[in-house]
Amino acid sequence: MANILFIPIALQLFLGVYLKLHIHEQTLRPWAVRLHGLVGKAYPILGWVQMLFGAITFGGYCRGDNLGQCLAHYIMGSGFIAYGTIMAILLLVGEAWVRRSGRSPDWWDSWVIMLWGIGELNTFTEHRGSSWSVKDMQHTILGVLWWAGGILGIYLSRNNQRSVVPAFIIILTGWAMSDHAQALMLSTKVHALFGYTLMSAGLARIIEICFVAPKYALEVVPGDGHSEHTLDGAREDVATAPSSPSRAFRHLPPFLLVASGLLFMSATDEELHFVNDNGMDHVTYILIMFSIAFVLYTLIVTLINLYATSGRNAASAAAASDGAIELTEGNKWYAPVPATDVEPANHVIGDDD
């Protein structure tokens, strides 16, 4: 994987130099901008995969019959962490985009859950042989739960409506995992807390949807062209204030998703056998995982805030009352070079790298 990573690094360097030359404006350059942005956005995923491979190699895990379980735990756990990261992005810098899209966050959540359920990886990675075990049945029905609930969530959250169905699916998934039969008592305890953490994330999300940020679009009164701040709309304005306790509460669902993802990734048979053989109890092990979750979430929000308040976004962040940024012609990822002698704006994240 380290050798493979040289390809996107070299490609990003080549594209960055090419874009700085500002040539082929009407032909090749727009495509180079898109490719440069695509490669840059893939960096967090590539770095995460390389880090996981490092941990797996260091521990000597995922060999032989353990490969399927590793895939299930690491892919699913990474999915929860990615879900929490996207929630944090929407909270810190993405609310304006959500409003302009005309779709509530739950509409996007429902689509992801439905598609994940259709391609539910546990069904294919942990079912072995011709007979079906209790675990195989549980993994399969979780896939059905996700695509069936995802369809309902898409329908209920149409027309920019909020829906608690995605959060309820998270709660049900956590409940199923909390009662998932395991061979080791240590494994049972870790899986149980993973389930409780996931259930807490779903519950916190329901509270956020129903009471903290119930609306993402202001109603317009016909005839006067002005926005009508209803009770829900006013509550949403208060929730977006930088010092609002409601806004502080909204960090709870993404953090709990990150923590639950790390707990699930740390709950493979090989890892827990290693912990058990070294005499560590479940309390110490779980606290270690939560400590890592705190560090990881700190890194996530720090990088998001760094993007939102530095470089081309510094002026926009200083002018914004809540620290969020609004994409304009001056700071969006790509804008055509003006015909005047004004220096062209940078085009994508990473142009200066």
Side-chain angles (χ1 to χ4, degrees):
M1 185 65 183
N3 293 330
I4 294 175
L5 285 177
F6 280 112
I7 298 175
I9 291 173
L11 181 60
Q12 190 78 330
L13 175 62
F14 171 79
L15 289 171
V17 172
Y18 173 79
L19 291 174
K20 286 296 184 182
L21 296 176
H22 295 285
I23 57 177
H24 308 132
E25 277 294 325
Q26 304 301 323
T27 54
L28 297 179
R29 195 170 194 278
W31 295 100
V33 167
R34 291 179 175 86
L35 182 58
H36 190 48
L38 180 63
V39 175
K41 294 176 183 65
Y43 267 41
I45 299 174
L46 296 173
W48 181 256
V49 171
Q50 174 68 338
M51 185 175 69
L52 289 184
F53 283 161
I56 292 169
T57 304
F58 178 78
Y61 300 141
C62 305
R63 301 179 187 272
D65 292 338
N66 295 304
L67 177 60
Q69 191 187 71
C70 276
L71 288 173
H73 278 256
Y74 290 157
I75 293 175
M76 178 80 65
S78 298
F80 286 130
I81 293 173
Y83 190 6
T85 302
I86 293 172
M87 270 193 189
I89 292 172
L90 292 178
L91 168 63
L92 294 173
V93 296
E95 284 192 354
W97 178 86
V98 172
R99 295 174 192 276
R100 289 197 305 271
S101 72
R103 305 286 188 178
S104 69
D106 318 304
W107 188 85
W108 300 102
D109 289 357
S110 298
W111 269 103
V112 172
I113 288 174
M114 186 197 70
L115 295 175
W116 191 271
I118 292 174
E120 219 283 277
L121 293 170
N122 283 352
T123 303
F124 306 104
T125 57
E126 293 211 22
H127 171 56
R128 306 179 184 90
S130 57
S131 62
W132 284 76
S133 67
V134 173
K135 283 187 177 182
D136 293 338
M137 288 187 237
Q138 288 182 354
H139 294 144
T140 301
I141 198 60
L142 277 175
V144 176
L145 172 76
W146 290 342
W147 67 253
I151 291 174
L152 176 61
I154 292 171
Y155 181 78
L156 293 180
S157 57
R158 71 195 190 283
N159 300 327
N160 202 31
Q161 299 299 310
R162 303 305 307 267
S163 170
V164 299
V165 172
F168 187 59
I169 292 174
I170 292 176
I171 292 176
L172 288 175
T173 304
W175 168 76
M177 291 292 101
S178 68
D179 203 23
H180 207 38
Q182 302 295 323
L184 289 175
M185 180 58 68
L186 174 65
S187 182
T188 301
K189 295 287 188 180
V190 174
H191 274 82
L193 193 70
F194 157 66
Y196 298 150
T197 305
L198 201 56
M199 292 168 68
S200 300
L203 178 60
R205 183 66 168 164
I206 288 178
I207 294 173
E208 188 253 325
I209 290 170
C210 295
F211 303 107
V212 177
K215 296 188 71 173
Y216 269 83
L218 297 177
E219 297 178 4
V220 177
V221 179
D224 63 1
H226 297 291
S227 298
E228 176 186 2
H229 291 262
T230 61
L231 176 63
D232 284 346
R235 189 186 300 141
E236 170 66 16
D237 289 341
V238 173
T240 58
S243 59
S244 168
S246 299
R247 189 173 182 86
F249 177 86
R250 294 175 67 186
H251 279 287
L252 190 57
F255 169 74
L256 290 173
L257 283 170
V258 170
S260 62
L262 280 173
L263 282 170
F264 194 57
M265 293 174 68
S266 68
T268 64
D269 287 344
E270 291 177 293
E271 291 172 294
L272 294 178
H273 274 99
F274 174 79
V275 172
N276 186 67
D277 293 343
N278 283 273
M280 185 184 295
D281 67 315
H282 68 280
V283 175
T284 304
Y285 187 63
I286 288 170
L287 290 178
I288 291 173
M289 291 303 110
F290 265 93
S291 299
I292 297 174
F294 282 125
V295 173
L296 180 58
Y297 193 70
T298 300
L299 176 64
I300 290 170
V301 296
T302 299
L303 291 177
I304 296 172
N305 278 302
L306 181 64
Y307 162 74
T309 58
S310 63
R312 80 195 67 178
N313 297 324
S316 300
S321 60
D322 60 356
I325 61 169
E326 178 80 17
L327 293 183
T328 64
E329 288 296 324
N331 68 3
K332 68 180 182 179
W333 291 333
Y334 175 73
V337 175
T340 63
D341 293 332
V342 177
E343 181 180 353
N346 293 334
H347 297 273
V348 294
I349 301 171
D351 274 356
D352 294 329
D353 294 341

